Amino acid sequence: MLTRTKSDALFAAALNHIPGGVNSPVRAFRGVGGNPFFVESAKGARITDVDGNVFIDYVGTWGPAILGHAHPKIIRAVQAAAERGTSFGIPNPAEVTMAERVKQFVPSVQKVRFCNSGTEATMSAIRLARGFTKRDKIIKFDGCYHGHADSLLVKAGSGALTLGNPDSAGVPADFAKHTLVLPFNDVEAVKAAFAAHGAEIAALIVEGVPANAGLYLPRPGYYELLTHLCRDHGTVFIFDEVMTGFRLAKGGAQELYGLTPDLSCFGKIIGGGLPVGAFGGRADIMDCLAPLGPVYQAGTLSGNPLAMAAGLAALDELVATDAYAQLDALGRQLEAGMAEAAKSAGVTVTWQRLGSMFCGYFGPGPIWNLADAMRSDRAKFAKFFHGMLAEGFYFAPSQFEAGFISTAHTTVDIEATVKAAAKVLRSL
Ligand code: HOZ
């Protein structure tokens, strides 16, 4: 049994001051029931809560902690930057270094602008595409989550889906009507949408791999089809790599799939655990941004020196340590172990994985889209989640979020995880 005294007291206090007690909905544990725990500290692959419970963490602050928590090189970089000042609102050299680094890692990016979150990145990329094409409509895919800007919060994944509100209140119907929502991996649906509206579609936005309704992958050739349709219709192809960027490969999902998007969006890892977003791509499109062009976008803390320093330290360490091979090996070990654990417990779990991202759906596969994902047994997932938490392992508190492995996880951690999972699965 976990001791929850301090966490429960903090949550009770938080409920008086913060809507739902949390600053981002999925943290409230509504997808699994019970109260969230409060973190005292985190180091490497482990989180310690305020009651002294220690968990092996597979959320990794929802993706940024690819090197584990409180990586010494990131801490040192942030400390050194802080000594020089925490924010200027004036250009600083680290912004230029970071822009160069992003371009080296992701060749489709000719110019890049930094902002403060993934939501800002996707929101700005959509505005930019609309300004560039002088069109209004966009295409997104159901279950994909691109942050919480109005035009993107339609049939959205992540917390919106977990809470059963994929279409948020407060989004005017006049905005939402410009967003065409299609089933993912459905070739005929996207061809038909372009046939009907091709000349009106400013942008098509898709996640590097859909990872906000669990995790499912594009069918072979699907992303190439999206690329061609966009090119044929003068539509801006926006690749949302907020989760997948710098995680699935140095060059993100676009490197894995051999794509050259018009614009890409980043967040999470690029900030090394500090708040950052970025969007970049074709220079002719990016140069439509103010002050060069008519599309306005700005931010007091954009290019913040601490965030740039943390992000640079993270990117440099990923490359210096050949992290991607290690992450993939750990992912493979977890996948094989979990499959065996589920089999021996007689529980049907469809394990989906790409590199260090994963999701175990409680139900039969294959899972190619949101409708398939929705068939999973969420009650069973909730029991699994709490069982694992009691054993000292923290997975995302929703069936519809991806899990993340870091370079701080060891093969011994994974073995322990699989052993605990076998026990918990047998008890379901
Ligand atoms: N939207 C994030 C997961 N896909 C959750 C962010 C958070 O709650 O911190």
Side-chain angles (χ1 to χ4, degrees):
M1 256 317 251
L2 296 171
T3 311
R4 303 291 295 253
T5 320
K6 290 184 183 168
S7 275
D8 284 347
L10 278 165
F11 192 54
L15 286 170
N16 290 324
H17 310 300
I18 303 171
V22 290
N23 285 309
S24 188
V26 73
R27 299 180 197 175
F29 275 29
R30 295 280 174 98
V32 290
N35 292 345
F37 61 86
F38 281 65
V39 176
E40 178 68 37
S41 64
K43 179 82 191 152
R46 282 164 176 73
I47 288 176
T48 303
D49 76 7
V50 289
D51 289 291
N53 302 300
V54 179
F55 305 101
I56 292 187
D57 176 24
Y58 287 102
V59 181
T61 185
W62 303 95
I66 191 166
L67 299 167
H69 295 280
H71 190 281
K73 289 196 178 158
I74 297 180
I75 301 293
R76 278 202 296 277
V78 172
Q79 281 170 340
E83 294 287 342
R84 298 189 292 269
T86 56
S87 173
F88 310 123
I90 298 170
N92 73 82
E95 295 170 76
V96 184
T97 313
M98 188 57 148
E100 285 167 353
R101 195 72 89 258
V102 172
K103 287 175 60 173
Q104 280 161 10
F105 279 41
V106 189
S108 71
V109 174
Q110 296 170 341
K111 287 201 174 171
V112 60
R113 181 165 279 179
F114 298 105
C115 49
N116 299 295
S117 68
T119 288
E120 274 188 45
T122 52
M123 177 187 77
S124 306
I126 294 285
R127 183 183 305 138
L128 178 57
R130 284 178 163 150
F132 177 75
T133 58
K134 302 186 174 55
R135 301 172 181 178
D136 289 337
K137 287 197 192 314
I138 59 167
I139 288 179
K140 80 174 279 291
F141 296 91
D142 56 8
C144 277
Y145 178 73
H146 305 285
H148 55 88
D150 282 345
S151 20
L152 294 166
L153 212 47
V154 184
K155 300 268 185 293
S158 190
L161 182 62
T162 297
L163 301 176
N165 300 320
D167 300 304
S168 172
V171 175
D174 274 355
F175 290 8
K177 78 176 183 205
H178 295 300
T179 305
L180 307 175
V181 186
L182 304 179
F184 186 73
N185 267 329
D186 185 331
V187 167
E188 294 314 316
V190 71
K191 281 186 180 167
F194 273 99
H197 304 284
E200 302 160 80
I201 302 171
L204 177 149
I205 186 165
V206 67
E207 291 184 60
V209 290
N212 280 287
L215 180 76
Y216 41 83
L217 307 181
R219 287 184 190 275
Y222 186 62
Y223 279 175
E224 288 79 354
L225 172 74
L226 300 184
T227 311
H228 291 140
L229 286 169
C230 286
R231 193 168 304 144
D232 291 349
H233 292 87
T235 294
V236 177
F237 182 47
I238 305 178
F239 213 43
D240 177 352
E241 296 238 44
V242 169
M243 282 176 132
T244 53
F246 314 102
R247 172 163 286 279
L248 292 180
K250 191 178 156 202
Q254 57 193 271
E255 179 183 317
L256 286 189
Y257 294 118
L259 303 173
T260 307
D262 297 315
L263 294 178
S264 301
C265 301
F266 305 101
K268 299 194 189 272
I269 289 172
I270 202 173
L274 271 74
V276 183
F279 59 105
R282 275 170 46 189
D284 59 331
I285 302 180
M286 292 300 290
D287 284 347
C288 289
L289 283 174
L292 290 182
V295 178
Y296 198 72
Q297 186 276 338
T300 297
L301 291 170
S302 296
N304 174 267
L306 303 195
M308 296 291 106
L312 274 170
L315 297 192
D316 288 349
E317 185 66 5
L318 283 168
V319 173
T321 56
D322 192 17
Y324 298 105
Q326 182 195 350
L327 289 164
D328 193 52
L330 291 168
R332 251 183 289 124
Q333 186 193 349
L334 186 66
E335 178 176 15
M338 288 301 214
E340 185 52 41
K343 196 168 156 212
S344 67
V347 179
T348 304
V349 179
T350 302
W351 195 262
Q352 308 263 106
R353 179 188 72 88
L354 193 58
S356 57
M357 298 173 73
F358 65 84
C359 175
Y361 288 101
F362 279 73
I367 294 169
W368 291 112
N369 54 33
L370 180 63
D372 294 340
M374 292 299 282
R375 282 197 288 272
S376 59
D377 184 337
R378 278 167 270 171
K380 210 171 249 181
F381 169 80
K383 281 189 194 156
F384 174 76
F385 169 84
H386 281 294
M388 290 303 284
L389 200 62
E391 294 290 327
F393 300 87
Y394 177 52
F395 286 91
S398 164
Q399 173 72 93
F400 300 125
E401 297 285 355
F404 298 98
I405 300 169
S406 76
T407 56
H409 288 89
T410 64
T411 55
V412 175
D413 291 337
I414 305 273
E415 269 168 37
T417 308
V418 168
K419 195 166 162 217
K423 178 178 163 194
V424 172
L425 286 166
R426 275 197 303 275
S427 73
L428 295 182

